[in-house]
Amino acid sequence: MAKKHAFIHGTLVLTFTGLITRFMGFFYRIFLSHAFGEENVGLYQLIFPVYTLFISLSSAGIQTAISRTVARKMSLGKPGEAKNVLLSGLIFSCSLAFAGLLFIQANAAYIAEEFLGDSRCLSLLTAVSYALPCCAVHSCICGYCYGLKQTKIPALSQLIEQTVRITSVALLYFYLKQDGTQPSVVIAVFGLVSGEFASALYSAKSLWGHHFRLPHFMPAKAAGNTKELLFLSLPLTANRLSVTLLQSIEAAAIPNCLKLYSHSTSEALSIYGVLTGMALPCILFPSAITSSVSIMLMPAVAEIQASGQQTKLKHLVKKAAGSCFILGLACCLFFLVFGPFIGSVIFHSATAGKFIVTLAWICPFLYVNGAFLSVINGLGKTAFTLAINLLGLGIRILSVFFIVPGFGIQGYLWGLLASQFLVTLCALLILKFNYKVN
């Protein structure tokens, strides 16, 4: 009962915080679109695939590995080893993050011109690289807390990150405007870095003050812990890297393929900015709830698997996935009805409204996919997750290269819907036939 209470409490805390931060982020994106315009928002969004790629390399897989390993260590009554796992992960992840920072700064011009196709991204890439070490610290500590089913530090750090990001950008924007200077979209990147730094600082200070002292680090155990983390994180990192690399190709290709549909460079960037900076964040807003469920599911599944309680596992998966799917159906109906209003009145963009209505159909599949993939990761079968994600992304990329030139952005939206449906179907089949979860 205590474990069930911890799962529900953790989910509620993360959901509440996620809704607040997404609510803040929703209006922040409206502010960005009004302050910098659709084209500059598109330019800002263009750097995120590169940024996400290096986060995937340095911390994403390690965070999940830390979470699962810590949950297992705690279930075996080894809290000291759980702490040592985190410290080993921090050393490894931060080393990769600093290497990524140096690589981006040395090659920013080439990445901007040759990969992203716009030299204006150079300054944005250089600035965003400073966030990588902060992300590594923040991610590892969050992974440890999730493994313990403790959500206070991750939740507050998320809230701090969003607050600092929005506040710093708004203050700097209005200061420059008052000074007679036209603000550049680079200040949005400055806000991102400031937010990540604040969240990393808070996470480290909070955890160190309450849980850690230097003697907790055992060098003799470090090699074994690092090896265990690598064993778990390499498939996850390969998963995230492959997915992010394909997403980067997808993101860079969308504006170029839109040009083949007779759009100018400015029009293509504007459409891309509306899609990724307005419509998609709106669709993803309710996923704060399903993301919280997914985060808490993985360590819970790992713990149940270690205890061999198959019936309990089936019940947990059914309940979590069913709730996510029902939420998705409700959100689908909401966006179908209110999509045009949100686009025209809130974003001042009729195009955003059209995109929201089309994207509404992915909600049931998108929201439940997070739960399914988290369960599969919790069972330790990360290769399946990789295969599923690659299939979904492959369909999206094919739609970009082969449908967008003929049908415009609508072709990409069709591909996105098809990919989410197939991801749901594949995850269901894997759980049904391999783990008898049905």
Side-chain angles (χ1 to χ4, degrees), residues 77-195:
K78 299 177 179 179
E81 289 190 21
K83 294 173 181 177
N84 204 54
V85 164
L86 169 60
L87 294 172
S88 299
L90 275 169
I91 294 170
F92 185 68
S93 183
C94 287
S95 299
L96 290 176
F98 278 108
L101 184 155
L102 295 174
F103 180 86
I104 290 178
Q105 297 205 352
N107 298 277
Y110 177 82
I111 296 171
E113 293 176 11
E114 300 299 326
F115 182 66
L116 300 180
D118 198 314
S119 59
R120 291 176 292 175
C121 291
L122 192 156
S123 59
L124 305 182
L125 287 170
T126 303
V128 83
S129 66
Y130 290 106
L132 292 176
C134 302
C135 285
V137 173
H138 183 214
S139 295
C140 289
I141 293 175
C142 285
Y144 175 78
C145 293
Y146 293 144
L148 297 178
K149 296 188 180 68
Q150 296 177 4
T151 53
K152 179 183 175 182
I153 292 175
L156 286 178
S157 65
Q158 184 182 4
L159 191 59
I160 288 169
E161 186 274 329
Q162 190 77 307
T163 302
V164 172
R165 177 194 294 199
I166 295 171
T167 304
S168 61
V169 172
L171 289 175
L172 190 55
Y173 174 82
F174 288 116
Y175 172 78
L176 291 173
K177 287 288 283 186
Q178 200 170 40
D179 198 43
T181 305
Q182 180 57 40
S184 165
V185 75
V186 74
I187 68 172
V189 181
F190 170 79
L192 185 152
V193 176
S194 300

Side-chain angles (χ1 to χ4, degrees), residues 280-296:
L280 275 173
C282 185
I283 293 293
L284 292 172
F285 183 87
S287 69
I289 300 172
T290 58
S291 295
S292 303
V293 172
S294 300
I295 288 169
M296 298 304 297

Side-chain angles (χ1 to χ4, degrees), residues 32-102:
L32 289 181
S33 65
H34 293 171
F36 302 108
E38 293 178 352
E39 183 177 356
N40 281 318
V41 170
L43 199 66
Y44 172 63
Q45 292 294 137
L46 207 54
I47 67 167
F48 274 90
V50 176
Y51 175 56
T52 309
L53 181 67
F54 282 90
I55 289 179
S56 300
L57 178 63
S58 61
S59 56
I62 295 173
Q63 175 185 336
T64 307
I66 289 174
S67 179
R68 190 177 190 278
T69 305
V70 166
R72 189 177 65 81
K73 295 285 187 185
M74 294 301 292
S75 69
L76 297 174
K78 299 177 179 179
E81 289 190 21
K83 294 173 181 177
N84 204 54
V85 164
L86 169 60
L87 294 172
S88 299
L90 275 169
I91 294 170
F92 185 68
S93 183
C94 287
S95 299
L96 290 176
F98 278 108
L101 184 155
L102 295 174

